Amino acid sequence: MDEEKRPWRILLVDDEEAITVQLASFLERTGFTVTVAHNGEVALRRITDFTPDLIVLDVLMPHLDGRETLRRLRQAGDWTPVILLTQVGLPAERAMALDEGADDYLNKPFEPYELVARIRAVLRRSRRGVPSLAGARHLTCQALVLDRQARRVSLSGREVALTAKAFSVLEYLMLHPDEVLSRERLLDAVWGWDYPAATRAVDTRIAELRRALNDDVEDPQYIETVIGEGYRFVGRVEVGM
């Protein structure tokens, strides 16, 4: 079969058999080729012969947990896209997941259709053998540069002053370009559901970003409003140097 036309290969890693049996079956019915590992050690061995296009990786597992498995992958220069399945869902845990090179994360429990949507979104923006946006220190889009480690943003070489929340919203948008992100998802990702903020807080930070980036709401270069759904980063995001 033509390599470009073969079904995407998914490595599903979770120690809960009840989850892997049902989820693997669901993913295969959706059109993916799936293999399963029940801990990180087995997953690292399975990657060599299965060569997955994407790994769905649970965080809490025996022997070798998901976070350490991801760390070893990235240290070995393996940029296979990874979606982490997290248990706690705290903002700090999610931030660490992205800092360590996860391409996305999903809190348990989740709807299988949501996982499929996330898998397809990550696969659309991934290229084989190329470091993913999630593993990059600098994200660039035209004259816009976001330094994730220093938490600084510049536009045409001039530093842009942003609040901490606006920076985090921009970072999340740039890590998910061309993907419609609902206010609820942005609120969950940046504030966390335990934080007493309404979805209106997202609109406030988006307005701050548009002012800071001189982005025209009618003809956006960066952030587009998708009526009734949320926001989308429309510019082409690349890994910066």
Side-chain angles (χ1 to χ4, degrees):
M1 180 182 293
D2 188 329
E3 184 70 8
E4 294 298 321
K5 295 180 179 178
R6 66 165 173 76
W8 294 105
R9 296 191 184 107
I10 307 295
L11 173 58
L12 176 60
V13 190
D14 197 308
D15 62 314
E16 297 183 57
E17 190 169 352
I19 290 179
T20 55
V21 169
Q22 294 183 22
L23 198 52
S25 176
F26 179 83
L27 292 173
E28 286 178 342
R29 291 198 303 275
T30 307
F32 299 108
T33 298
V34 181
T35 194
V36 171
H38 292 292
N39 63 64
E41 291 179 349
V42 175
L44 290 174
R45 294 196 297 270
R46 194 67 53 81
I47 287 168
T48 302
D49 54 12
F50 184 63
T51 59
D53 298 298
L54 183 143
I55 303 168
V56 178
L57 186 60
D58 190 26
V59 169
L60 298 180
M61 292 185 295
H63 306 302
L64 192 66
D65 67 28
R67 184 154 293 126
E68 179 59 25
T69 303
L70 172 60
R71 201 172 295 128
R72 293 188 187 184
L73 268 178
R74 297 305 186 234
Q75 287 172 350
D78 188 323
W79 296 101
T80 304
V82 170
I83 295 177
L84 279 182
L85 302 180
T86 63
Q87 301 278 0
V88 181
L90 296 174
E93 184 189 28
R94 293 190 288 264
M96 282 191 292
L98 295 179
D99 286 345
E100 288 167 355
D103 294 79
D104 206 348
Y105 55 82
L106 199 56
N107 294 331
K108 284 184 170 180
F110 55 84
E111 288 292 330
Y113 290 103
E114 173 70 11
L115 176 61
V116 169
R118 299 287 184 96
I119 289 173
R120 287 176 171 156
V122 171
L123 289 172
R124 275 198 302 273
R125 62 175 184 260
S126 301
R127 289 181 292 166
R128 279 183 172 278
V130 177
S132 66
L133 297 178
R137 169 173 174 171
H138 296 96
L139 304 175
T140 66
C141 177
Q142 303 174 51
L144 175 64
V145 179
L146 184 144
D147 185 331
R148 299 175 66 201
Q149 187 171 324
R151 295 187 68 77
R152 289 178 176 166
V153 172
S154 64
L155 186 66
S156 300
R158 300 180 62 179
E159 187 160 342
V160 176
L162 294 175
T163 60
K165 281 290 185 288
F167 178 92
S168 297
V169 170
L170 180 61
E171 178 185 31
Y172 196 80
L173 286 166
M174 293 184 75
L175 287 171
H176 301 80
D178 201 33
E179 187 176 345
V180 178
L181 302 172
S182 68
R183 291 172 176 80
E184 290 77 11
R185 184 169 166 189
L186 285 167
L187 192 66
D188 180 38
V190 176
W191 283 263
W193 280 110
D194 55 339
Y195 188 86
T199 54
R200 192 165 47 196
V202 176
D203 298 333
T204 302
R205 296 285 75 86
I206 292 290
E208 176 189 341
L209 287 170
R210 283 175 167 151
R211 286 194 301 273
L213 303 179
N214 299 317
D215 204 21
D216 185 350
V217 68
E218 300 296 332
D219 184 23
Q221 295 184 65
Y222 302 116
I223 302 171
E224 176 186 63
T225 299
V226 182
I227 296 174
E229 297 190 54
Y231 298 101
R232 172 165 49 205
F233 195 90
V234 292
R236 179 183 175 86
V237 181
E238 297 180 302
V239 174
M241 299 300 290

